[in-house]
Amino acid sequence: MPSSLAETSTASTPCATTSQLFPGSQFRGVQRSERASYPVTVTLQHVDLAQSLIVGYLTISGLTERHPTLTTYFEAEIIGKHHSFLTRKWHADESVDREHWELFPEFAPYSVDLTQEGLHVPPWHESETLFMRWKEAFLVPDHRVRSIDGASYEGFYYICYRRDKGTLTGYYYHRNSEWYQFIDLKHVPQH
């Protein structure tokens, strides 16, 4: 596994040195539903942009009384060479994908034909925007817990990363959960 962004990117790439996507990087903000807002912290653990993969932890507070803080492990698929805008799993069909991706203004140049295989998305080092899907896999520290009353991690997030703003925004989707729960995170600079 690469130990830093430098090992997964080209050193001469200008955007690589300004990216906030590296192991140990944190983003903080909120997840909003119709009823409430919850503080969220995301900590990236592994970043391999060449393989279109990011893994990390998502910590949310206040979601349930019994578990005031929940942390899940997630894996991110970066849209591009290895992953298309079509999810084709997790109960998301083309219609669900289109409805969610079109919520991002940055998606407009790609909305013409979502089904087109090989739809050109600029490589991460040529763009200020990355689109991803985050799939929460299990609860940390006890990966054996499969469900928690009042919380769901069976769905996934549609995510847009803006390098120029240092933001991650997105929408949670699970067919049996409230749709369009919005997550809004800002990079936390390291000192």
Side-chain angles (χ1 to χ4, degrees), residues 46-55 75-78 82-83:
H46 175 70
V47 176
D48 187 342
L49 297 175
Q51 293 301 311
S52 303
L53 175 69
I54 296 175
V55 299
E75 295 184 353
E77 301 175 343
I78 299 171
H82 299 285
H83 305 284

Side-chain angles (χ1 to χ4, degrees), residues 71-115:
T71 300
T72 56
Y73 167 88
F74 72 88
E75 295 184 353
E77 301 175 343
I78 299 171
I79 306 306
K81 184 169 87 171
H82 299 285
H83 305 284
S84 77
F85 282 108
L86 291 176
T87 304
R88 296 187 175 111
K89 53 189 168 186
W90 307 320
H91 306 288
D93 59 19
E94 181 184 343
S95 172
V96 168
D97 286 335
R98 183 173 297 284
E99 285 180 51
H100 283 81
W101 289 125
E102 287 181 347
L103 293 169
F104 301 104
E106 299 86 354
F107 178 73
Y110 310 105
S111 67
V112 175
D113 189 0
L114 193 66
T115 63

Side-chain angles (χ1 to χ4, degrees), residues 6 21 39 80 117 129 131 140 171:
L21 302 179
E117 289 299 324
T129 303
F131 296 99
V140 176
Y171 298 90

Side-chain angles (χ1 to χ4, degrees), residues 4-5 28 40-41 47 69 76 90 96 107 127 130 133-134 139 148 155 158 173:
S4 71
L5 179 62
R28 287 196 188 117
V40 172
T41 300
V47 176
T69 302
W90 307 320
V96 168
F107 178 73
S127 176
L130 287 180
R133 275 182 295 272
W134 290 0
L139 199 62
I148 293 177
Y158 292 87
Y173 170 74

Side-chain angles (χ1 to χ4, degrees), residues 8-30:
T8 62
S9 63
T10 306
S12 63
T13 304
C15 290
T17 59
T18 61
S19 175
Q20 297 92 2
L21 302 179
F22 55 87
S25 181
Q26 280 197 339
F27 292 80
R28 287 196 188 117
V30 297

Side-chain angles (χ1 to χ4, degrees), residues 113-178:
D113 189 0
L114 193 66
T115 63
Q116 180 183 339
E117 289 299 324
L119 182 65
H120 178 70
V121 177
W124 62 269
H125 59 276
E126 294 177 11
S127 176
E128 290 297 323
T129 303
L130 287 180
F131 296 99
M132 301 179 249
R133 275 182 295 272
W134 290 0
K135 176 63 176 126
E136 294 172 289
F138 54 83
L139 199 62
V140 176
D142 192 350
H143 66 278
R144 296 169 297 178
V145 174
R146 291 291 170 221
S147 66
I148 293 177
D149 287 339
S152 168
Y153 54 92
E154 294 178 20
F156 68 98
Y157 292 87
Y158 292 87
I159 296 288
C160 178
Y161 165 66
R162 290 287 307 264
R163 183 192 331 260
D164 57 338
K165 296 180 179 182
T167 59
L168 290 162
T169 56
Y171 298 90
Y172 181 76
Y173 170 74
H174 182 261
R175 66 181 177 171
N176 296 328
S177 294
E178 175 188 324

